[in-house]
Amino acid sequence: KNEVEQSPQNLTAQEGEFITINCSYSVGISALHWLQQHPGGGIVSLFMLSSGKKKHGRLIATINIQEKHSSLHITASHPRDSAVYICAVRADKLIFGTGTRLQVFP
Amino acid sequence: GAVVSQHPSRVICKSGTSVKIECRSLDFQATTMFWYRQFPKQSLMLMATSNEGSKATYEQGVEKDKFLINHASLTLSTLTVTSAHPEDSSFYICSARDSGTGGSQHFGDGTRLSIL
């Protein structure tokens, strides 16, 4: 069993829909990252969380330390949000989830 | 915002060539940098942790003589793939941990290495 599990693996949405991507982990962590990887491969760090909730534009990330669970929400999704979203937890090193491939259609 | 510059973005070269990839933190100091490898449609795999002024720490299964890492300053780490072979073809990504702001980690855009 992977130490970091993401769901769903693939997600298709219509423009404007509300998107939720989930991440569960089984190890003790000091922080959790949400990353966005575009088709060209470049990675953007969206959030680093250790508790609670963070918001940036249309993106919201939450974490529940007791339940070892985090969610990434995208409100009013847009085709440019199409990317792979990766959850990574910081234990002694970063442990990555396998990613969620999101496609948003016009 | 914080930026990590990785260069080159793409390399195509013949088997047996050594290839150097640079990773620079542009507006912050990074005591620690990380090198990852990513195969198609797979997650990032940590290859090594690079610490400024000391030897890199390699993950199990990563040949340190094959993947030479140098972290000579607080803003620059290099990965050299020595005598590259087709099986070394992959996407290599560096990441730098900001020494000053609670350890936030920033990623380069990656280098796509193709060995013919």
Side-chain angles (χ1 to χ4, degrees), chain A residues 33 35 37 39-45 48 84 86-88 90-99 101, chain B residues 34 36 38 41-46 49 59 91 93 95 97 101-110 112:
Chain A
H33 296 256
L35 311 171
Q37 186 171 30
I43 292 179
V44 174
S45 179
M48 185 175 77
V84 175
I86 302 169
C87 168
R90 181 180 293 171
D92 56 341
K93 59 186 179 185
L94 272 186
I95 306 170
F96 295 88
T98 52
R101 189 172 299 274
Chain B
F34 305 90
Y36 299 91
Q38 186 179 35
K41 297 190 178 181
Q42 293 192 24
S43 191
L44 287 78
M45 290 175 45
L46 180 64
T49 302
E59 295 299 300
F91 191 64
I93 303 170
S95 174
R97 182 181 289 167
T101 60
S104 55
Q105 201 161 330
H106 306 279
F107 289 81
D109 284 340
R112 191 163 302 280

